[in-house]
PDB file of all heavy atoms in Angstrom:
ATOM      1  N   GLU A  89      11.712  -1.548 -20.071  1.00  0.00           N
ATOM      2  CA  GLU A  89      12.233  -2.853 -19.679  1.00  0.00           C
ATOM      3  C   GLU A  89      12.653  -2.838 -18.208  1.00  0.00           C
ATOM      4  O   GLU A  89      13.184  -1.839 -17.714  1.00  0.00           O
ATOM      5  CB  GLU A  89      13.435  -3.217 -20.547  1.00  0.00           C
ATOM      6  CG  GLU A  89      13.072  -3.565 -21.984  1.00  0.00           C
ATOM      7  CD  GLU A  89      12.169  -4.777 -22.058  1.00  0.00           C
ATOM      8  OE1 GLU A  89      12.496  -5.812 -21.457  1.00  0.00           O
ATOM      9  OE2 GLU A  89      11.102  -4.675 -22.716  1.00  0.00           O
ATOM     10  N   MET A 231       8.578   3.447  -6.021  1.00  0.00           N
ATOM     11  CA  MET A 231       9.784   3.980  -6.658  1.00  0.00           C
ATOM     12  C   MET A 231      10.938   2.976  -6.666  1.00  0.00           C
ATOM     13  O   MET A 231      11.856   3.089  -7.473  1.00  0.00           O
ATOM     14  CB  MET A 231      10.226   5.265  -5.944  1.00  0.00           C
ATOM     15  CG  MET A 231       9.471   6.503  -6.357  1.00  0.00           C
ATOM     16  SD  MET A 231       9.755   6.983  -8.091  1.00  0.00           S
ATOM     17  CE  MET A 231       8.246   6.414  -8.847  1.00  0.00           C
ATOM     18  N   ALA A 403      -8.847  -2.684  18.677  1.00  0.00           N
ATOM     19  CA  ALA A 403      -9.563  -3.663  19.496  1.00  0.00           C
ATOM     20  C   ALA A 403      -8.590  -4.752  19.947  1.00  0.00           C
ATOM     21  O   ALA A 403      -7.953  -5.403  19.124  1.00  0.00           O
ATOM     22  CB  ALA A 403     -10.701  -4.275  18.683  1.00  0.00           C
TER      23      ALA A 403
END
Side-chain angles (χ1 to χ4, degrees):
E89 288 298 309
M231 279 294 103

